[in-house]
Amino acid sequence: QVQLVESGGGLVQPGGSLRLSCTASGSIFKIAAMGWYRQAPGKQRELVATITNGGNTNYPDSVNGRFTISRDNAENTVYLQMNSLKPEDTAVYYCNADVVSRSFRPNNYWGRGTQVTVSS
């Protein structure tokens, strides 16, 4: 069993910054790609950022230049640094990871999410 736990969400003013963290734990053999997604009420869940095991990153145009994803492989942790936040960034942010367990079973896992609210 593998668990992903997010932290760092909260209320921030437009133009402010926030850093999200997600730590994986459990029966982990290897973590491949990791990413962040978000979902606002009434909207589809959308990609925010991804990062491969080798450090290659990908961002949609909506966050490119403002958000930065990074990872600490030794701690099984992925981060999302969010700068110049806008009200439209308000959503529940979810961590995602492709994991191979110690029993060699591959799977994709989701965290339970952390709320980010950008408002004046």
Side-chain angles (χ1 to χ4, degrees), residues 7-8 24 37 66 69 89-90 93-94 99 106 111-113 120:
S7 63
Y37 296 74
R66 298 188 298 119
I69 188 171
D89 294 319
T90 296
Y93 284 69
Y94 297 91
V99 179
R112 292 189 176 185
S120 59

Side-chain angles (χ1 to χ4, degrees), residues 47-94:
L47 172 72
V48 175
T50 59
I51 184 167
T52 68
N53 189 50
N56 291 311
T57 59
N58 185 51
Y59 307 91
D61 290 340
S62 59
V63 308
N64 193 29
R66 298 188 298 119
F67 291 9
T68 302
I69 188 171
S70 61
R71 64 192 290 171
D72 184 340
N73 291 331
E75 299 293 335
N76 291 328
T77 299
V78 63
Y79 304 95
L80 183 68
Q81 178 66 46
M82 303 184 292
N83 298 325
S84 302
L85 283 162
K86 304 174 181 179
E88 50 262 45
D89 294 319
T90 296
V92 177
Y93 284 69
Y94 297 91

Side-chain angles (χ1 to χ4, degrees):
Q1 185 66 41
V2 175
Q3 300 84 37
L4 303 180
V5 179
E6 304 100 334
S7 63
L11 175 64
V12 64
Q13 293 184 338
S17 297
L18 214 56
R19 185 162 109 137
L20 307 182
S21 299
C22 171
T23 298
S25 62
S27 183
I28 299 171
F29 174 72
K30 179 182 179 181
I31 301 178
M34 303 185 79
W36 289 94
Y37 296 74
R38 66 187 182 188
Q39 187 169 22
K43 295 186 177 181
Q44 294 283 106
R45 188 171 298 188
E46 65 175 342
L47 172 72
V48 175
T50 59
I51 184 167
T52 68
N53 189 50
N56 291 311
T57 59
N58 185 51
Y59 307 91
D61 290 340
S62 59
V63 308
N64 193 29
R66 298 188 298 119
F67 291 9
T68 302
I69 188 171
S70 61
R71 64 192 290 171
D72 184 340
N73 291 331
E75 299 293 335
N76 291 328
T77 299
V78 63
Y79 304 95
L80 183 68
Q81 178 66 46
M82 303 184 292
N83 298 325
S84 302
L85 283 162
K86 304 174 181 179
E88 50 262 45
D89 294 319
T90 296
V92 177
Y93 284 69
Y94 297 91
C95 179
N96 180 264
D98 291 323
V99 179
V100 178
S101 72
R102 290 182 179 181
S103 60
F104 309 109
R105 294 192 296 268
N107 213 334
N108 182 262
Y109 295 89
W110 291 92
R112 292 189 176 185
T114 184
Q115 177 71 47
V116 172
T117 302
V118 185
S119 177
S120 59

